[in-house]
Amino acid sequence: MTGRDPDALVVGAGVAGLFCAYFLRLSGADVTVIDRGEVGGHLSCSSRNTGFVGTQGSAPLAEPGVMSQGLRWLTSQRSPLAIRPRPSPELLAWLWKFRQLCNEADAKRCFAVLVDLKRRSLEILREVCGTGDLATSFTSRGIIVAFKTERGFDQGYKSLPQAVARGVPLRVLEPRELRELEPEVEFDIHGAFLNAEGAAVTVPTFLRDFAKLLDQMGVRILEQVQVTGFASAGGRSGRHAISRVRTTGGDFTPDEVVLAAGAWTAQVARLAGLRLTLQPAKGYTVTVSTPPGSPRRPVVLSEGKVALMPLGDRLRFGGTLELGGLNPSSSRRRVDGIVATVRSCLPGLAIEDDQEIWSGFRPCTPDSLPFVGRAEAYANLSVATGHGYIGMGLSPACGRLIAQIIAGEQPEVDIQPFRLGRFGRR
């Protein structure tokens, strides 16, 4: 076996690709991972995100009322949702499917699937981060979900029974309990919940330490290598098979190929003739030196869709979902909207002007469920992408599913909700 003909070639060294490589290696496969950038580098979603994992945030983007709320948000330069108009048939097809899914039945179905995946992923993370260098990048102190307004709290309270019934350990926090949990924080909110099993990983430290673990396991990770094309031939069961992967670092002839390139997966898949209903959604984070009165545990500001993540001597908060293609330009107004939300809910927090601002792309499907499984047209091509803004919380379980599928084992969960062709052919 040489470096150019591994058992499995994984395209993408983000959290999704690395967990695919991890479980493929555990199954005995010789694995090579390639990435267009660097592990944990600026292009990676796992470079500067908030790193939330656990069952919190399992609601899909497509929920009843989202379309009408979205239209109101589109008039604001500081809203948590934005669509940059552009002549894109792919975007229109995505939005049409998204609109169809904004109903109670589909929202409940997708919520149940996401909760299960996130719980499985949390179990995997606890095991992987149990010892060694990875242990220091994992924290599990619970997550506070704060509501600025009475209306927001009432809406959250109505959904509480459904979440608890699905196994999300949410409960209402009395004001006294909130003060005991965060005695240094000045909150200006109507109410809050606690998710006791909420956890988070520190990025990009986690990703880089995980890559070191994979290297020790014998996985090759090649950075600054970009796919330029595929060659195929007749394969098993009469289907085509990828016979060669052409890259800027030379050709590879793997037995199996896994596309896990995050927001760039759709571009790579098109080189193999695959069309994925996938849109890059830009998110922003702001990292500052930890000011006095900062929370000690992760906090979600529900109405503004903003997450706060303590990082020792730094504090990171992030949010926004901007559908504008792979446009690298950033919007200061979106950043100002995130900061304004934080200041509104935590008025005692002195946020300095010296801010590290980052933006990155999350791969989003219309139903918020990832694409996980075989490409129908090929006998040896699989896809693991579409994890959206909860990629860190979904990728571990999806990586294990990919390894089970490639090994010909019975997947531990029903993979029908994740099939690549569920939105129809385009």
Side-chain angles (χ1 to χ4, degrees), residues 25 41-42 69 99 166 187 223 271 296 316 328 376:
R25 184 63 186 140
H42 191 76
Q69 177 67 66
R99 178 181 179 275
R166 290 291 182 183
F187 284 105
E223 301 175 320
L271 297 175
R296 298 180 297 181
R316 178 170 296 155
E376 291 183 4

Side-chain angles (χ1 to χ4, degrees), residues 157-377:
Y157 188 77
K158 289 178 182 177
S159 65
L160 198 61
Q162 175 192 343
V164 172
R166 290 291 182 183
V168 182
L170 280 171
R171 67 176 181 87
V172 175
L173 277 175
E174 297 297 332
R176 172 188 56 79
E177 292 180 293
L178 181 58
R179 286 193 298 269
E180 291 175 352
L181 286 173
E182 296 292 347
E184 305 298 325
V185 182
E186 177 188 348
F187 284 105
D188 183 9
I189 58 175
H190 182 80
F193 299 160
L194 176 68
N195 184 332
E197 73 174 11
V201 295
T202 303
V203 297
T205 305
F206 168 80
L207 208 66
R208 290 169 178 164
D209 286 344
F210 191 34
K212 292 178 183 177
L213 172 64
L214 292 177
D215 179 70
Q216 294 168 5
M217 295 170 62
V219 174
R220 289 177 293 275
I221 301 177
L222 306 178
E223 301 175 320
Q224 307 293 346
V225 176
Q226 192 165 346
V227 175
T228 59
F230 297 93
S232 63
R236 302 185 295 271
S237 304
R239 291 183 293 168
H240 284 282
I242 299 296
S243 57
R244 188 174 299 274
V245 181
R246 302 187 182 94
T247 80
T248 55
D251 290 1
F252 293 84
T253 55
D255 295 329
E256 296 280 350
V257 180
V258 181
L259 304 185
W264 284 269
T265 307
Q267 285 187 351
V268 179
R270 278 198 292 271
L271 297 175
L274 300 180
R275 300 285 179 175
L276 299 176
T277 307
L278 191 73
Q279 282 293 306
K282 185 185 295 181
Y284 293 81
T285 62
V286 180
T287 306
V288 299
S289 297
T290 300
S294 294
R296 298 180 297 181
R297 53 181 48 75
V299 177
V300 175
L301 305 179
S302 184
E303 289 102 326
K305 311 297 183 185
V306 171
L308 284 78
M309 176 63 183
L311 298 168
D313 61 351
R314 295 170 298 147
L315 177 66
R316 178 170 296 155
F317 31 92
T320 302
L321 190 152
E322 186 178 275
L323 293 171
L326 291 169
N327 185 337
S329 64
S330 298
S331 168
R332 181 67 215 193
R333 290 181 177 179
R334 298 292 170 195
V335 174
D336 290 343
I338 294 172
V339 175
T341 297
V342 175
R343 284 176 169 156
S344 174
C345 296
L346 286 75
L349 207 60
I351 301 173
E352 299 177 357
D353 292 332
D354 184 16
Q355 303 168 355
E356 176 191 326
I357 298 170
W358 173 87
S359 63
F361 300 103
R362 290 83 60 94
C364 291
T365 63
D367 58 5
S368 297
L369 302 182
F371 288 124
V372 183
R374 293 283 198 190
E376 291 183 4

Side-chain angles (χ1 to χ4, degrees), residues 53-246:
V53 296
T55 52
Q56 185 57 41
S58 298
L61 293 173
E63 292 186 290
V66 166
M67 291 302 294
S68 58
Q69 177 67 66
L71 292 174
R72 291 193 294 272
W73 274 338
L74 291 179
T75 63
S76 170
Q77 292 294 320
R78 293 188 173 187
S79 69
L81 172 65
I83 300 176
R84 290 191 177 187
R86 65 188 193 279
S88 169
E90 289 80 12
L91 175 60
L92 291 176
W94 192 97
L95 290 172
W96 179 253
K97 294 295 183 183
F98 181 84
R99 178 181 179 275
Q100 292 176 320
L101 289 159
C102 289
N103 62 79
E104 187 173 353
D106 281 317
K108 287 183 176 180
R109 173 181 59 84
C110 294
F111 176 81
V113 174
L114 289 171
V115 167
D116 181 60
L117 271 188
K118 294 194 79 177
R119 180 177 294 107
R120 292 173 185 273
S121 291
L122 181 58
E123 292 172 355
I124 293 169
L125 281 168
R126 289 188 189 280
E127 180 178 348
V128 170
C129 298
T131 58
D133 293 340
L134 287 169
T136 60
S137 63
F138 179 83
T139 179
S140 180
R141 301 187 65 191
I143 290 177
I144 293 172
V145 184
F147 299 89
K148 174 69 176 176
T149 66
E150 181 179 2
R151 179 181 179 184
F153 179 82
D154 289 344
Q155 289 177 338
Y157 188 77
K158 289 178 182 177
S159 65
L160 198 61
Q162 175 192 343
V164 172
R166 290 291 182 183
V168 182
L170 280 171
R171 67 176 181 87
V172 175
L173 277 175
E174 297 297 332
R176 172 188 56 79
E177 292 180 293
L178 181 58
R179 286 193 298 269
E180 291 175 352
L181 286 173
E182 296 292 347
E184 305 298 325
V185 182
E186 177 188 348
F187 284 105
D188 183 9
I189 58 175
H190 182 80
F193 299 160
L194 176 68
N195 184 332
E197 73 174 11
V201 295
T202 303
V203 297
T205 305
F206 168 80
L207 208 66
R208 290 169 178 164
D209 286 344
F210 191 34
K212 292 178 183 177
L213 172 64
L214 292 177
D215 179 70
Q216 294 168 5
M217 295 170 62
V219 174
R220 289 177 293 275
I221 301 177
L222 306 178
E223 301 175 320
Q224 307 293 346
V225 176
Q226 192 165 346
V227 175
T228 59
F230 297 93
S232 63
R236 302 185 295 271
S237 304
R239 291 183 293 168
H240 284 282
I242 299 296
S243 57
R244 188 174 299 274
V245 181
R246 302 187 182 94

